[in-house]
Each structure stands twice: as structure tokens, then as C-alpha cells.
Amino acid sequence: MNKEAFGKLVIDAQESLYRVAKSILYSDEDCKDAISEAITKGFEKLDTLKKDKFAKTWLTRILINECYDILRESKNVEDIDAHTYELGYEEPDNYSELYEAIMKLEVDYRTAIVLYYIEGYKIKEIASMVDSTESAVKKRLARAREKLRLYLEGGLKDEDR
Amino acid sequence: MKIDKKDYPKIPDDIRDVIKSQVENQISNSETKVKSVSKRRFVRYAVAALAGTLLVGTTVYAASKLISITTEKKGEYGLETKVTVSENVDGGEEKENVDVDEDTTEVPYDRYELMNEENYVHIDISYMPEDVYIQWTEDVATSKLHSYSETDRANRSMTFYMWRIHEGVEYTHNDVNVINTEEFEVPGGTAVLVELDGGRRKVYMAYDIGYVLDIWAQPGITKDEFVNVAKGISLEVATKEEAEEANNINFMMAPAYVPPFESVQEGNIIYVETEDELEQRTTVAKDELKVYQVGEEFEISEQKGNAKVTRVEICDDLSVVNKDVFDFFQGEHPDFIDENGKLRDEVVSYCKMGDGVNSLNEVVASETIPVKLVYIEVEYTSETSFYGNLMLINDKNDSYEIYDGLSSLARNTEYDVVSTTYYRDEPEELYFYNGNDVMEKNHFESVQAGETRTASFCYVVREDWLPYMYFDITCADPTGYFKQSILDTGVIDIRQ
């Protein structure tokens, strides 16, 4: 894939990239940094992309790693989930109830939810993007859905996560 | 519960501007450095461990590290291989390894740090048969070892995987259908040869510099050849600068080995098996799916554009494609056509799987199925993207149902897996041609506002699938169910 084609792919995929970043990082400033870094790395490593049809999946995977890097730089991995939500304290409160509920999930859960239900990736693709197994992704989705249901019904509090 | 894109915040204008400006800068910047190495990250899958007998236990002593490779037999045909690294203290006494305690929430490494690690190794291979095809999983180039026979590459190939093993991380791999194992020394390490039912072999080599090299060999490579290749390999730790200076020739980028998620508990997440299946609709009512005919223009949902299928041809050869595409086919898929230029029939074998531990696999039936080339041209107008997905759908009286594509033999045979010669058991796109250069195949170039462009798609399908073919232009990959985008846009009836 040449740089021009990849550039068009990035522009076409920008909404999707933002949603993926926004599922891991609450702050728009962090999302901007992660997307920017992912685009830079994508162009730098473009000739390592063997199959063009996987370009978007490949770029999304780079983005996910960048998002995790930002989380890790801010706090220890163990505190990722708490930290992510804390980052949102300055954010506007006009997000949808469902988005707010998704953001209360653990980071691995909400990433899986967004990639599967909103971005339409297959389980196998998600597993490769998050360096996990198909079985693990299915479990995350099942548990995430259950937790979402409980959140939306008011049956699960933050401290229960 | 319906989760929709509308529930997610829209991209802010300032981020959109940053992306646009960054893309423009990258495209116009000819100084952009392009690296020729990439990262591999594989997650190895663990299988259930059964009680067994220790076969081999070897410890290699080095200046400051201690690496050990052990294999444990599981049942009759199973084998678990483990490699660990620990500090070598007091002249060779092994320091106790840090074990992952399944009852705690802590693991002795940072998973995400390991994933991002880049390690470079210089690899020297003193012996390699001339006709062997080497698959390096794109991480390395070799200066003198690339002569091989194109026609026999499937049977005479080796695939190399390299891992760096950190202290506290246990490299574990499980093999099934193992009929023999042997241990031998290699320069700077110890190797275990594993021979599998069916003729394939692998070797695990643990080097005292803290690396594992595992190599797969296809059945056409003899045991002696394989062992001699392994014995002729030596590794040295290198730097990224050294690799780049040498244009990566004889250098390999090795990721750190990261244990699979399932082998540890992370944070407070405990994975629980669930029977809850994800909703994937394989049947829809007739009024839920719009069906268009060839030549009929329609609107693509969620995109500002229209499309229509303008041409569908069913062929026995590749005469419908232009010379560039034909050359591309021959280079990429030399076994697809016979000496007369006709597509070869598909040979399908149905296997009952042994568990690989106490029983082996067995072919219970096989059949030969004629195949056809399906050539499709789609005309796109205005702002849209090129996608194509050949679906198999059964048109029933009051519904559309995803067709599984099984033959009558398959329906009447008890089997676990299907083995095919060249083609998959679902329609697989062989190439996508956007009207420019064939080398730009499969990229997602979009059509600009006011522009009309034609893209062509090519599939090899089994002949008995022809009455079930519909074309979807909203997905890039095969789908086994009706995605929402398919229901929103509709499909094109290209049945023959």
C-alpha cells in the first residue's frame, strides 16, 4: 500500500479511530495524542504491512497500543480502570447514558464492546488487535454485556466493578 | 440491548483537523523514514493439561542466565514444552523461578511492556538445503538462502519464530499428535525435536542468551536435513542500529514472549465460562433484506454514494482477467491452475480428530469438487469506499437463510474438520482490482464526490455454490451472518 492510499484510509477511518480511542481514554486530549502517534507509526511502518486488506485492523491495533501506553504513563497498569474514569472529570456531561455506562467497564471490556458492536470487527480480528484469544474476547463480551445491563438497570454500582 | 454508533461521541473538529493535517504532512514528507522490520505478537494457545510423565529435563548454564527447557508427555500423543530463564547465581545453582500463583492477582511482569518490546538478534545459518523455502514471518532477510523451488514450496518450507524469554515468564507450548521426540545440542543451547503424525516436524531451541527459536518444517524436509539446519544455527544479541546498518540481512526482530491471557489472572478479572452466545442472525424475513439485480443502482447505507453491479462472469480459467492480474495469480497461487490454464478441482477431505493426546486424526471421507472463477464488476458513484463480500444465501419461501455450503457427502459424514487443497470452505476473495495498478489490490481507496469508478472482484468458489451467490458491498471480509450494514444496504442477486 502506498502512502496516498494509506492516507485516504486514515481519513475514511477517522471516526472509527476516535471511537476506539474514546473507548480506552476518556479525555479528548489523550485521544488526540494517541491517534496522532498511531498515524505517525502507521506511516513509518507502512512497508511492513503485508496484506492491504488488513490495513484498518492493523492501524487500529497500533492505536490500541498507543492508548494503553498513555494509560500506563499516567499510572500503573493496576490502576488503569480507575484512572481512565478519573480522567473524565473535566469532560462535558452530555454523553449518552450508554456511553457513560460503557466507560464504567474495565478497559478490556469496553474495548471489546466497541470493537465488536460499534466497529463491527470479527472476534478473530479483535483477538489479534488486543493480543488475546478468541475465547477470551467472547468471554469479555459476554461479561461486559451483563455488566452493562446491570449498570443500565441500576443494579451495579461503581464499587461493584 | 442495542449498541449504536449514535451513542458514542462524535469526533471533535480539532481532532479531525489534526488528523487531516498529519496525513497531508506524512504524504508530502518524502523524508519519512520507513523501517523494514515489524513486530510479531502471537498468543499461543494452551490446551488442557493431563497427567503425564517427564521425558526430558535439560538445564543450560550461561555466564549470567540460566535457561531450561523441559518437555512433559501428556497422554499417548501430547507434549508440553516449557522454557524458563532465571538468574544463575553462585556458579550454576539455579535461583528459584518466580511462579505465577493462580490464586493471586499479581503477575511478575508488565504485560503491556513486554508487548511493546523490540529485541534484535543476529542469526547465522550455516546449512540450508538449496530448495527449501524459508518463511521468516517478515522479520528478517537472508543474504544467500533464498533459492527455492516455487512449485514445491508448500512441502519444502520452514517457518521460524523467535522469542525473547524474560525472567519470571514461562514459555509454554503444547503439541498434539506427537509420535517422537529427541533432544540434541545446538551452538549455545539445547534443542528438542518433535515429530508429528502426518510428517511435519518442529524443533524448539533454547539459547543461553535468553531466546527461544522454534521452527516448523513441512513433511518434504527430511529429519536429517532438519536436524542439520538446527545444528547449524547460531544466535547473537544485536542492536537495532546494527540491524538497520545491515539492512536487516541476517538480523531478526524478536518480540518478548507474552503468556496467553488465560494462563494468568489479571487485575481483578476472573474469566468464567459462559454459554451466552453472541447474537448473529443467520435467518431474516424476506422484507428485512433488500435484494437488487445486476445493473440495478442502489444507495449504500451510511455512505454518500450509490453502487451497482455491472458485470458477473463465471469462468473455468483466468481469461477474464487482464495480463497483470494473470501474472499476479500465477505468482501468488501457482497451484490454482493446471497445465492447460484451467482451474484445478478442489479435493476435500473430512477428518475425525483424535484428541492428539490419546488418539490421532483419521480421514473418514474425501471428494473432488469442481470449482469456478466468479468475476464481478461494481460501479461506485460519489463518496464511498470499495468493499466486497460474496455471501451464500438460501432463498426460502418467506425468509433468507445463510447457506452453509456443505456438500451431500459432508452432510452425511461424521467429521470434525475439513481439509482442502487450495481453497477455503467459504468464498474467499482472491483479489480486488480498483482499476489502477494490480499491486494496489485490496486497498480501501474511496471514490470522491462526483466521481464514478469501477472495481473488480474475483472469487474461486465451488460449482455447487453458484445457485446461492449474493454480493454484499458493505463488508470487506466474509461474514457468516447478516450484519446490520447488510440489512441496511441490501445485497445483489448474482445467482447462476
Side-chain angles (χ1 to χ4, degrees):
Chain A
M1 176 177 278
N2 60 31
K3 289 206 289 186
E4 288 74 17
F6 185 68
K8 284 177 181 168
L9 180 142
V10 172
I11 298 295
D12 287 348
Q14 58 183 331
E15 287 280 358
S16 168
L17 296 174
Y18 174 72
R19 284 191 294 266
V20 171
K22 193 73 176 167
S23 72
I24 302 173
L25 307 163
Y26 202 88
S27 150
D28 275 345
E29 278 307 301
D30 286 344
C31 290
K32 190 196 293 180
D33 290 345
I35 293 170
S36 179
E37 190 61 28
I39 293 171
T40 302
K41 288 189 175 170
F43 274 99
E44 281 182 359
K45 297 186 175 183
L46 193 53
D47 70 337
T48 68
L49 176 64
K50 289 294 182 187
K51 290 191 175 179
D52 295 356
K53 69 191 290 186
F54 298 128
K56 187 179 169 191
T57 309
W58 177 75
L59 178 61
T60 304
R61 180 182 170 135
I62 294 173
L63 174 62
I64 290 170
N65 283 337
E66 292 306 320
C67 292
Y68 276 119
D69 279 349
I70 287 174
L71 286 181
R72 196 175 59 245
E73 281 164 14
S74 307
K75 276 198 173 183
N76 292 333
V77 173
E78 295 80 52
D79 297 326
I80 276 178
D81 299 309
H83 170 62
T84 312
Y85 205 61
E86 283 169 22
L87 284 174
Y89 69 96
E90 288 179 348
E91 294 293 317
D93 57 0
N94 56 354
Y95 291 151
S96 72
E97 187 187 359
L98 183 60
Y99 172 70
E100 293 286 1
I102 289 172
M103 290 307 288
K104 289 178 184 173
L105 298 171
E106 290 90 332
V107 64
D108 287 343
Y109 285 10
R110 58 182 187 255
T111 305
I113 282 276
V114 168
L115 292 173
Y116 187 83
Y117 285 108
I118 297 183
E119 301 309 324
Y121 287 107
K122 290 184 288 190
I123 301 283
K124 188 175 180 181
E125 289 173 320
I126 298 170
S128 79
M129 277 190 233
V130 299
D131 280 300
S132 187
T133 63
E134 291 179 51
S135 153
V137 171
K138 284 181 183 172
K139 287 172 195 167
R140 283 178 211 176
L141 283 169
R143 286 185 61 78
R145 283 196 307 169
E146 180 60 18
K147 285 194 171 188
L148 268 181
R149 190 178 60 78
L150 290 170
Y151 275 130
L152 294 170
E153 291 173 1
L156 190 64
K157 308 294 180 197
D158 286 356
E159 56 269 27
D160 295 330
R161 292 187 304 138
Chain B
M1 182 191 315
K2 186 174 188 302
I3 302 174
D4 196 284
K5 287 176 186 170
K6 296 187 189 81
D7 293 310
Y8 247 65
K10 289 282 180 196
I11 184 169
D13 287 343
D14 63 328
I15 296 184
R16 193 184 294 276
D17 292 343
V18 164
I19 292 174
K20 183 170 182 287
S21 123
Q22 200 173 359
V23 167
E24 286 170 354
N25 285 340
Q26 290 284 352
I27 290 175
S28 62
N29 178 15
S30 59
E31 298 300 315
T32 301
K33 188 178 176 187
V34 178
K35 299 171 185 173
S36 57
V37 294
S38 71
K39 204 174 283 187
R40 287 184 291 121
R41 289 178 199 147
F42 290 97
V43 175
R44 296 301 172 101
Y45 296 81
V47 299
L50 304 173
T53 314
L54 190 67
L55 282 182
V56 181
T58 301
T59 303
V60 178
Y61 292 92
S64 59
K65 299 283 182 189
L66 192 72
I67 189 163
S68 72
I69 180 167
T70 58
T71 57
E72 186 175 357
K73 193 173 178 183
K74 305 284 186 183
E76 196 65 29
Y77 303 107
L79 185 77
E80 182 181 72
T81 303
K82 285 185 178 180
V83 177
T84 53
V85 171
S86 59
E87 287 295 327
N88 178 19
V89 293
D90 201 17
E93 281 185 28
E94 188 172 359
K95 179 184 169 184
E96 188 176 353
N97 281 339
V98 183
D99 292 326
V100 178
D101 183 348
E102 291 186 0
D103 294 328
T104 72
T105 60
E106 292 183 5
V107 291
Y109 49 83
D110 182 331
R111 175 173 203 91
Y112 300 105
E113 201 166 283
L114 292 184
M115 286 177 178
N116 284 309
E117 197 174 278
E118 292 184 3
N119 306 288
Y120 290 84
V121 175
H122 180 264
I123 179 165
D124 185 57
I125 306 176
S126 63
Y127 167 74
M128 180 65 71
E130 277 293 310
D131 63 340
V132 167
Y133 176 70
I134 310 169
Q135 301 189 61
W136 290 99
T137 57
E138 75 198 54
D139 288 312
V140 70
T142 48
S143 56
K144 57 186 178 183
L145 299 169
H146 262 274
S147 79
Y148 54 86
S149 158
E150 189 71 50
T151 54
D152 204 22
R153 98 188 216 184
N155 205 35
R156 295 272 294 167
S157 69
M158 293 186 192
T159 308
F160 286 58
Y161 301 99
M162 177 93 78
W163 308 98
R164 180 172 180 197
I165 313 298
H166 283 279
E167 274 188 87
V169 176
E170 186 175 75
Y171 169 95
T172 305
H173 197 75
N174 285 276
D175 290 295
V176 294
N177 302 315
V178 176
I179 54 174
N180 186 42
T181 62
E182 285 179 30
E183 182 195 356
F184 58 93
E185 297 299 313
V186 293
T190 298
V192 175
L193 173 73
V194 180
E195 297 188 81
L196 306 175
D197 181 47
R200 291 202 298 171
R201 296 181 178 86
K202 31 192 330 195
V203 63
Y204 296 97
M205 298 193 279
Y207 288 89
D208 51 16
I209 55 174
Y211 285 80
V212 166
L213 180 58
D214 69 87
I215 311 175
W216 277 91
Q218 294 300 325
I221 295 169
T222 67
K223 180 178 172 181
D224 283 349
E225 283 178 324
F226 193 34
V227 170
N228 286 333
V229 167
K231 285 182 174 174
I233 294 176
S234 56
L235 303 184
E236 275 181 45
V237 175
T239 64
K240 184 177 184 177
E241 290 71 30
E242 288 170 332
E244 286 180 346
E245 261 179 42
N247 290 323
N248 296 304
I249 291 177
N250 294 334
F251 283 84
M252 194 163 181
M253 205 282 283
Y257 177 76
V258 186
F261 267 98
E262 266 101 347
S263 66
V264 295
Q265 290 183 23
E266 293 195 314
N268 58 358
I269 301 170
I270 299 170
Y271 297 114
V272 179
E273 286 289 351
T274 172
E275 296 300 318
D276 191 6
E277 286 297 321
L278 302 165
E279 186 185 7
Q280 295 184 343
R281 298 182 65 192
T282 54
T283 302
V284 295
K286 283 254 164 130
D287 59 1
E288 288 184 274
L289 181 67
K290 288 171 279 212
V291 176
Y292 301 98
Q293 300 304 311
V294 174
E296 188 178 357
E297 188 161 352
F298 56 92
E299 189 179 335
I300 308 169
S301 172
E302 292 195 10
Q303 301 212 39
K304 299 174 192 167
N306 292 349
K308 63 179 172 184
V309 170
T310 54
R311 182 181 171 195
V312 178
E313 283 197 38
I314 311 298
C315 317
D316 293 316
D317 56 28
L318 300 178
S319 57
V320 69
V321 301
N322 67 30
K323 185 178 180 308
D324 284 344
V325 177
F326 184 84
D327 291 345
F328 165 74
F329 261 121
Q330 282 210 308
E332 290 286 307
H333 310 287
D335 297 328
F336 272 39
I337 52 177
D338 64 19
E339 58 279 4
N340 300 314
K342 299 288 185 190
L343 292 168
R344 289 183 194 275
D345 288 346
E346 169 70 299
V347 179
V348 184
S349 300
Y350 302 95
C351 302
K352 281 289 283 182
M353 297 289 287
D355 61 8
V357 177
N358 293 306
S359 59
L360 300 175
N361 304 340
E362 183 187 359
V363 176
V364 290
S366 64
E367 61 182 330
T368 300
I369 300 176
V371 296
K372 297 285 185 186
L373 187 90
V374 180
Y375 177 85
I376 302 164
E377 281 186 0
V378 185
E379 193 176 284
Y380 298 87
T381 304
S382 285
E383 294 177 55
T384 183
S385 300
F386 296 144
Y387 293 109
N389 168 34
L390 184 62
M391 300 182 74
L392 301 180
I393 299 174
N394 199 356
D395 181 354
K396 300 225 167 171
N397 288 337
D398 54 358
S399 64
Y400 291 108
E401 187 179 289
I402 295 290
Y403 180 62
D404 61 14
L406 293 175
S407 70
S408 56
L409 179 66
R411 289 183 201 284
N412 295 315
T413 302
E414 273 193 34
Y415 64 93
D416 298 315
V417 295
V418 178
S419 163
T420 61
T421 47
Y422 310 118
Y423 316 111
R424 291 169 50 175
D425 52 3
E426 62 185 358
E428 185 178 20
E429 181 185 297
L430 290 183
Y431 88 104
F432 161 74
Y433 183 47
N434 66 6
N436 287 338
D437 181 347
V438 69
M439 296 311 291
E440 288 184 301
K441 65 189 183 304
N442 288 330
H443 75 66
F444 294 81
E445 186 169 349
S446 58
V447 185
Q448 301 306 308
E451 191 182 10
T452 296
R453 291 187 65 178
T454 299
S456 55
F457 299 82
C458 217
Y459 297 83
V460 171
V461 302
R462 301 183 193 175
E463 195 173 54
D464 56 321
W465 290 350
L466 296 181
Y468 302 97
M469 295 191 306
Y470 290 78
F471 198 58
D472 152 50
I473 62 164
T474 68
C475 303
D477 293 312
T479 54
Y481 62 100
F482 292 104
K483 276 187 168 182
Q484 191 57 45
S485 64
I486 297 170
L487 297 177
D488 291 342
T489 295
V491 295
I492 304 97
D493 181 356
I494 58 168
R495 289 174 297 172
Q496 304 290 315

